[in-house]
Amino acid sequence: MSVASPPRLRPAPLRVLTAVPLCDGHDSAIVTINLELARHGAEVIYLGYHQAASAIARAAVQEDVHAVGLSSYNGGHRVFFREVRAQLRARGAADIPIFGGGGGTITAADARVMQRSGVDRIFFAGTPLAEMTRAITGDYARELRPDAKLRGDRALARAITLAESRSGLRPDPRKTARQRTRSASFVVGVAGPGGAGKSTLIDELAARFLRARRSRRLAILANDPSHPETRGAILGDRVSALYAQDERVFFRSLATRGSLTGLSAAAPAAIEILRRRGGFDLIFVESVGVGQESDPFRVFRQGEKLVDAVLFVLPPHYGGRIQLQKIALLDGADLVVLNKCDDPRASAAKAELGARLAANGRNQLLHTTIAAQHRDPGTDALCAAIGRLAGLESAGGEKPCHLCIGA
Amino acid sequence: MNPLGQIVSAVDAYNAHVASEVRRARVDKKFAAGLRARWKKISSAIETTHSPTGTPLPRLALPATDEPGAIAGYLLGQGLPGEFPFANAAYREMYLDRGERVGPALAAGPSESRKAARRPAAARPLNSAPAAEEPTRLFAGLGLAEDTNARFHYLARHQPSTRLSTAFDGPTLYGLDSDHEGVLGKVGEGGVALDTVEDMERLYAGFDLLAPNASVSMTINGPAPAILAMFIAAAKRRFGPDGVARLRGTIQADILKEVQAQNEILFPVDASLRFLGDMIAWSTAHLPRFYPISISGYHIAEAGATPVQQAAFTLSNGFAYVELLRARGLDVNAFGPRLSFFLDCGLDVEYLVLGRVCRRLWAIAMRDVFGASPRAQAFKLHTQTSGRSLIAAGFKNNLTRTAVELLVAYLNASNSCHSNSADEPFTTPTEEYARLASHAQAILLEESGLFKHTMDFLAGSPGLLALERTVERAILDVFREIDSLGGVLPAMEHRYQRSKIQEAAHRYEQQINSGERPVIGLNRHVGASLADARAAPVPLARTPPRRQRFQVERLRAFKKKNAPRAPEALQRLESVTRAGGNVFAELLNTVEVCSLGQITACLTSVVGKYRPMV
């Protein structure tokens, strides 16, 4: 970090990763516990059900969590918890404690075996919710400090954690994003109203990227709102990430922690950290669902633009032409995407949106996608457009963007 | 208007019709005389039986009235057992002692009986089929196929009929092979490991699946088409191709509730529904005695839904399937009778009437909105006692909980019931508790006099009728909400059902936490019962690692043996899937040489994966 001013200290919220093991869909208990933890001010990064040990350990490292919580009801817990422990150790994260529960399926005898293999704590059937919440928020909260021994994704994740706890720091506003570093990373800011399909679109773009390029990585910074009163948050973007759960993706969830810009106050610093670290061809920054006046990526503030390109996503049900006029970011977006084009309202929306963009006179290209559809050609075309903007297309430029090969 | 909107209107219209007929019965003398004459005929046809102590009892309990309005209210509002709108029962007789039965004049007129007699056995009319059916079902699945097979043989010793209700392990439920990376510890846990058609042969070995009193039920959803294809392929190997049409059973295959609650879905929703439609279309034509879907509220309730939500989501899912199948060009009267339902029964008071209300709403909608014939109007209900209500603390109390729930399930005229084992909070049921669960049913149906002498013994009490009306209204309110979101599928995309279920689950836990919802042994009368929660006072049914490795070796041998033929079979499956052909028909070939995991991977390559929701 290039920042010299003393950090503004505030107690960082507890960050917990929760998940349900592979081949297990019993998420009722963990969803309830997620809600309770968030209600008590924790940031819960929820990975979802049917999750492999490797995906859990990868997420724990990238999210730099205080603890990992696993809810297992389908048996095989002795082996599975041990595997998560081993995966964490292999990633230099043996210090992240694992807790878990599984109603009556995890017995005291199991728990003894599991504790010997490095599991911190098992909550038995009948443990009151309040007791569980108290134990988790009490036992695992601690300050995460700089640690020169950390390597790889762990070091990267810790740098972002530190940026989060010192939020309010801002990169030098006199330099634009491209001038600040000479990193090859191309940063795409993704904004749009809630329900537009931003997460799905990013995941599908990631899938195409991963298929096409064997060597380099990409990063995703997913911003989600904190609750204004409890300060807790459930960061669930990983749940629907099918393809971004990959060793070649660095995925980090950021809670806004009171920031009203649509991004965490630490997002600029996190972007900067990712750029500097290098090795990322593309960095996607997903804002929270934005309102009409929002400008999360500072497009309209001279010289302060946070990203290299802004991708604005809209669903066909945005509420009519008048609403469209009010969306400021449509004037500043480099790529405009009308998603969910299998909706019957899509053709009318396409015409309205096309007219709106034509009036801008900025040659903004309108993309139409059905991101949720397997191998959607519209998403292929969008991927190619991003590839051109990012300078990732193959020499000659005639061939299809190599991001999309094999899609 | 969406079908759910139409259904709400149809129910309102039907209720208004009943009310107006009741009024007419009170003023229209001719109408009243007709009703009285019919009532007299019905009443006089009811035979008398005797309790073991000699007390005479009617075989059917009817309201004690001869007031025409009350008669009209009963006949139209509830219907005789087996008659529209089926509030009392889907069939004319259930659970009664064999041997002495009411004559056929009661429910079906003579002309209908004659017609029925000409129908093939597989398409018997509603009112005659289940009289000889044993309602008891016991769910089993543990270890490898031969372990579950041994459990089936053990359980079958205690049952007059062969009812093989099968649970699968996690990898199978997610369409993965036992040698898939990271799943070894899950192989054979919580259900049977099933990778290939050869495992399927082992699973039901030694049972005559073509016997009239045999049926198989398979609790699997995402990979259901491949699993049913293996079942058929295994049956062909054993009984020859002609046996297939005689197979009886049910496969769960309910994709919508997977998205809403249970989370075992492999492919995107539209692709999953297409594969399901292919399977139902094939089954309707070739498996006349098989239920190719069990539309399930059980998992919706287990995930936290209230009884009203369970009923509303299950029924609305059912209507969504009807629409989808009709949109494929299938005839509602062909597939309608092959739809079956599966509900949870817990201790909340609404469960006293849930089955009754569901049968009534289903019948009205099927008749008045979808134009279905009587056989497609009957809501055939399997009930399972609530797993969620069972707790580890003081676990023997679970015997009582299950017994009470079972009583409530039979009061709802469930066509079949599964009673949970008291040790389920800890483990796949051990033999001891599986036997106790089975005996609970025998005690209720055979030993006690509650169900065996008189049909509808406790139906129609003032409390139940008041509750029925309230629950029905609440279900219709949920229908309206789903309708306002554009129907079941759009509501699902908006996470409507999931978020409602999650809210209810959270509230339930908070109520237990605060003591507002008493749970004996947990927040009341605790005593020493919490010790159970840690000690697991039963021997645990777990699959030893060497058995898990054995399954993997066996699977690898199968793959090696079929390596020359598998690629071509998968290629064919892929092209049929791409070309929009009937995937199920092709799966019947694929399963001969391919494992479940190979099939899942092949289909995923064409249609993609399901993208989960929080």
Side-chain angles (χ1 to χ4, degrees):
Chain A
M1 294 291 303
S2 62
V3 183
S5 53
R8 186 152 53 95
L9 289 176
R10 53 158 88 178
L14 176 77
R15 281 172 68 87
V16 181
L17 179 86
T18 60
V20 177
L22 203 60
C23 300
D24 193 340
H26 295 85
D27 65 348
S28 178
I30 199 70
V31 166
T32 295
I33 288 164
N34 288 347
L35 287 169
E36 277 301 288
L37 288 173
R39 223 161 57 86
H40 287 83
E43 289 177 2
V44 181
I45 297 99
Y46 180 46
L47 191 56
Y49 52 83
H50 187 32
Q51 293 296 324
S54 55
I56 292 168
R58 185 193 311 125
V61 164
Q62 295 179 347
E63 301 287 355
D64 199 25
V65 292
H66 291 92
V68 173
L70 302 177
S71 181
S72 164
Y73 280 80
N74 232 4
H77 37 267
R78 288 187 184 190
V79 178
F80 192 84
F81 278 60
R82 193 172 63 216
E83 181 62 19
V84 175
R85 182 80 272 162
Q87 289 274 350
L88 281 171
R89 198 174 295 122
R91 291 161 199 265
D95 57 308
I96 301 179
I98 301 173
F99 65 89
T105 66
I106 305 183
T107 65
D110 287 335
R112 280 192 295 275
V113 172
M114 291 159 81
Q115 274 160 353
R116 276 201 298 276
S117 65
V119 174
D120 189 62
R121 179 162 188 172
I122 294 298
F123 293 101
F124 293 104
T127 310
L129 210 47
E131 189 186 316
M132 232 182 290
T133 312
R134 216 167 27 241
I136 295 166
T137 53
D139 291 358
Y140 297 124
R142 65 188 186 285
E143 196 193 336
L144 297 173
R145 297 166 190 278
D147 185 345
K149 294 194 295 294
L150 301 184
R151 293 282 171 269
D153 279 2
R154 263 223 107 181
L156 194 53
R158 180 59 52 87
I160 293 174
T161 301
L162 296 173
E164 275 192 290
S165 58
R166 296 171 196 150
S167 63
L169 303 181
R170 291 166 61 174
D172 189 337
R174 286 162 305 185
K175 298 179 186 170
T176 67
R178 290 302 266 173
Q179 286 167 333
R180 269 199 308 277
T181 66
R182 297 192 176 277
S183 152
S185 298
F186 188 82
V187 184
V188 182
V190 182
K198 297 187 289 294
S199 306
T200 301
L201 194 61
I202 291 173
D203 192 50
E204 287 291 335
L205 292 169
R208 285 158 175 79
F209 173 91
L210 295 172
R211 270 200 293 268
R213 285 173 78 85
R214 288 275 153 241
S215 54
R216 298 193 71 185
R217 302 182 79 195
L218 81 156
I220 297 170
L221 284 177
N223 291 265
D224 268 324
S226 304
H227 193 281
E229 190 186 347
T230 65
R231 298 183 59 218
I234 293 178
L235 310 175
D237 278 306
R238 282 179 176 269
V239 171
S240 57
L242 279 179
Y243 305 106
Q245 309 262 11
D246 190 286
E247 293 299 335
R248 288 194 292 140
V249 179
F250 181 89
F251 192 123
R252 177 66 177 241
S253 314
L254 297 174
T256 53
R257 299 190 184 174
S259 157
L260 299 174
T261 62
L263 296 181
S264 155
I271 294 169
E272 186 65 23
I273 290 164
L274 291 171
R275 279 188 194 276
R276 282 179 185 224
R277 185 71 47 153
F280 297 110
D281 285 323
L282 274 173
I283 300 170
F284 289 103
V285 184
E286 180 185 351
S287 78
V288 304
V290 298
Q292 292 163 341
E293 80 291 2
S294 303
D295 179 22
F297 304 114
R298 303 179 189 166
V299 176
F300 301 112
R301 285 158 65 173
Q302 269 313 313
E304 287 191 42
K305 191 171 168 183
L306 284 177
V307 296
D308 301 313
V310 171
L311 190 162
F312 193 80
V313 195
L314 269 177
H317 48 90
Y318 48 71
R321 200 159 49 83
I322 303 297
Q323 298 308 318
L324 219 48
Q325 295 306 328
K326 300 180 191 167
I327 301 172
L329 210 46
L330 279 176
D331 301 318
D334 304 281
L335 298 149
V336 177
V337 177
L338 183 67
N339 190 28
K340 305 192 175 180
C341 282
D342 47 349
D343 186 298
R345 289 163 290 191
S347 58
K350 190 180 169 191
E352 285 176 355
L353 201 48
R356 167 79 166 80
L357 295 180
N360 284 345
R362 285 190 52 214
N363 287 328
Q364 292 159 297
L365 193 59
L366 175 59
H367 288 267
T368 50
T369 58
I370 312 171
Q373 195 170 83
H374 191 51
R375 295 166 192 262
D376 168 48
T379 309
D380 288 344
L382 175 64
C383 184
I386 294 171
R388 281 192 297 276
L389 283 177
L392 291 171
E393 61 192 331
S394 32
E398 293 300 315
K399 285 179 261 175
C401 162
H402 65 226
L403 292 185
C404 309
I405 292 169
Chain B
M1 191 169 19
N2 273 304
L4 277 180
Q6 291 175 32
I7 287 162
V8 171
S9 307
V11 173
D12 287 342
Y14 187 77
N15 288 340
H17 166 72
V18 174
S20 101
E21 290 292 274
V22 168
R23 280 193 302 275
R24 183 157 81 97
R26 288 176 178 148
V27 294
D28 179 337
K29 291 217 162 56
K30 201 174 155 201
F31 183 49
L35 279 168
R36 276 215 186 84
R38 185 167 173 225
W39 194 244
K40 201 172 165 193
K41 193 176 160 201
I42 291 167
S43 308
S44 61
I46 297 172
E47 291 177 358
T48 300
T49 186
H50 291 85
S51 79
T53 59
T55 301
L57 291 160
R59 291 293 259 174
L60 168 67
L62 290 179
T65 184
D66 67 348
E67 192 274 303
I71 294 170
Y74 173 84
L75 289 176
L76 294 169
Q78 304 183 38
L80 286 164
E83 285 197 6
F84 189 87
F86 301 99
N88 283 307
Y91 297 112
R92 195 183 68 210
E93 282 189 1
M94 296 170 72
Y95 321 138
L96 296 183
D97 261 358
R98 288 161 185 239
E100 330 159 46
R101 247 172 248 114
V102 188
L106 179 61
S111 63
E112 204 177 322
S113 292
R114 270 202 305 278
K115 259 191 293 178
R118 285 199 301 272
R119 283 183 200 141
R124 283 172 302 193
L126 282 184
N127 54 10
S128 72
E133 287 250 327
E134 302 293 327
T136 301
R137 302 284 186 279
L138 288 157
F139 193 37
L142 71 172
L144 310 195
E146 44 276 67
D147 305 323
T148 301
N149 180 265
R151 171 62 67 87
F152 280 144
H153 282 284
Y154 171 82
L155 290 171
R157 285 209 302 273
H158 300 278
Q159 286 188 56
S161 318
T162 306
R163 303 276 176 241
L164 311 175
S165 180
T166 318
F168 297 93
D169 71 359
T172 309
L173 293 173
Y174 281 94
L176 300 176
D177 277 345
S178 295
D179 64 352
H180 190 91
E181 190 193 339
V183 307
L184 187 64
K186 302 270 184 187
V187 171
E189 287 286 316
V192 61
L194 197 134
D195 294 312
T196 67
V197 63
E198 291 173 4
D199 291 333
M200 190 62 92
E201 289 182 280
R202 296 175 188 115
L203 184 59
Y204 302 119
F207 289 105
D208 178 9
L209 298 180
L210 306 187
N213 69 342
S215 75
V216 162
S217 137
M218 289 175 279
T219 300
I220 194 155
N221 298 277
I227 294 291
L228 183 61
M230 286 185 192
F231 176 70
I232 293 168
K236 269 190 204 156
R237 288 180 180 194
R238 182 130 162 256
F239 305 107
D242 295 343
V244 171
R246 286 158 65 199
L247 292 169
R248 295 185 66 209
T250 309
I251 189 157
Q252 199 162 70
D254 179 358
I255 289 302
L256 297 177
K257 73 98 168 50
E258 292 300 327
V259 177
Q260 294 162 13
Q262 193 171 247
N263 305 328
E264 289 159 7
I265 171 168
L266 314 182
F267 312 110
V269 175
D270 52 350
S272 296
L273 289 172
R274 174 192 156 197
F275 298 157
L276 172 67
D278 289 349
M279 181 173 88
I280 294 179
W282 194 92
S283 304
T284 304
H286 298 97
L287 296 176
R289 308 168 75 189
F290 207 91
Y291 294 104
I293 186 168
S294 170
I295 302 159
S296 306
Y298 191 81
H299 320 86
I300 290 172
E302 290 288 301
T306 65
V308 165
Q309 287 169 342
Q310 178 190 187
F313 296 166
T314 308
L315 286 167
S316 57
N317 290 348
F319 298 133
Y321 288 123
V322 170
E323 278 182 78
L324 286 163
L325 294 169
R326 275 166 34 120
R328 282 181 69 114
L330 295 176
D331 174 10
V332 70
N333 291 320
F335 69 79
R338 306 323 299 162
L339 304 177
S340 64
F341 292 84
F342 174 24
L343 293 180
D344 200 342
C345 185
L347 294 169
D348 281 315
V349 69
E350 294 87 345
Y351 283 113
L352 276 165
V353 299
L354 214 60
R356 295 173 57 86
V357 174
C358 285
R359 269 194 303 274
R360 191 172 184 277
L361 292 175
W362 183 255
I364 294 170
M366 287 297 273
R367 190 188 75 170
D368 295 348
V369 177
F370 297 110
S373 67
R375 289 185 66 244
Q377 291 163 13
F379 179 93
K380 275 145 292 186
L381 173 61
H382 173 73
T383 303
Q384 180 170 340
T385 59
S386 165
R388 186 166 71 138
S389 72
L390 305 187
I391 60 166
F395 82 103
K396 285 185 183 170
N397 282 333
N398 294 338
L399 292 166
T400 311
R401 293 189 179 98
T402 299
V404 174
E405 289 162 356
L406 199 56
L407 170 65
V408 172
Y410 282 122
L411 287 174
N412 275 283
S414 298
N415 301 93
S416 61
C417 281
H418 167 90
S419 42
N420 288 328
S421 298
D423 55 358
E424 275 182 33
F426 309 109
T427 172
T428 304
T430 56
E431 286 196 356
E432 181 188 2
Y433 284 95
R435 190 180 65 244
L436 290 172
S438 150
H439 286 180
Q441 303 216 28
I443 289 169
L444 201 57
L445 295 180
E446 298 169 32
E447 193 172 321
S448 95
L450 273 172
F451 294 98
K452 64 180 174 183
H453 306 305
T454 301
M455 187 70 195
D456 279 359
F457 203 80
L458 296 171
S461 78
L464 289 192
L465 293 181
L467 186 58
E468 266 175 60
R469 284 192 294 274
T470 312
V471 168
E472 181 180 290
R473 274 198 300 273
I475 292 171
L476 294 180
D477 285 342
V478 179
F479 284 0
R480 283 190 195 93
E481 222 168 303
I482 297 174
D483 189 47
S484 74
L485 294 168
V488 170
L489 296 177
M492 218 161 77
E493 267 181 54
H494 287 103
R495 292 188 64 252
Y496 167 79
Q497 292 93 341
R498 281 184 84 81
S499 62
K500 289 287 169 190
I501 293 167
Q502 288 172 4
E503 280 166 27
H506 192 205
R507 196 163 54 240
Y508 181 93
E509 292 302 329
Q510 284 175 324
Q511 286 171 341
I512 290 178
N513 216 30
S514 70
E516 188 187 336
R517 182 179 275 276
V519 180
I520 304 310
L522 192 61
N523 61 12
R524 280 203 200 175
H525 312 293
V526 176
S529 54
L530 277 177
D532 285 350
R534 292 154 182 258
V538 291
L540 299 181
R542 296 230 171 121
T543 305
R546 64 179 167 74
R547 296 289 288 160
Q548 294 172 325
R549 286 192 299 271
F550 175 64
Q551 178 67 17
V552 169
E553 285 160 22
R554 188 153 82 178
L555 166 67
R556 290 197 173 139
F558 174 91
K559 285 184 183 170
K560 197 171 164 195
K561 178 176 76 185
N562 291 300
R565 293 199 289 157
E568 196 208 322
L570 291 170
Q571 183 57 51
R572 265 203 320 272
L573 179 63
E574 190 187 320
S575 32
V576 169
T577 310
R578 278 193 203 290
N582 188 313
V583 169
F584 186 76
E586 185 54 41
L587 279 171
L588 291 169
N589 303 319
T590 324
V591 296
E592 292 287 348
V593 292
C594 296
S595 68
L596 177 61
Q598 290 174 318
I599 289 167
T600 305
C602 172
L603 294 175
T604 302
S605 75
V606 184
V607 302
K609 288 186 210 169
Y610 172 69
R611 189 180 296 280
M613 289 187 272
V614 176

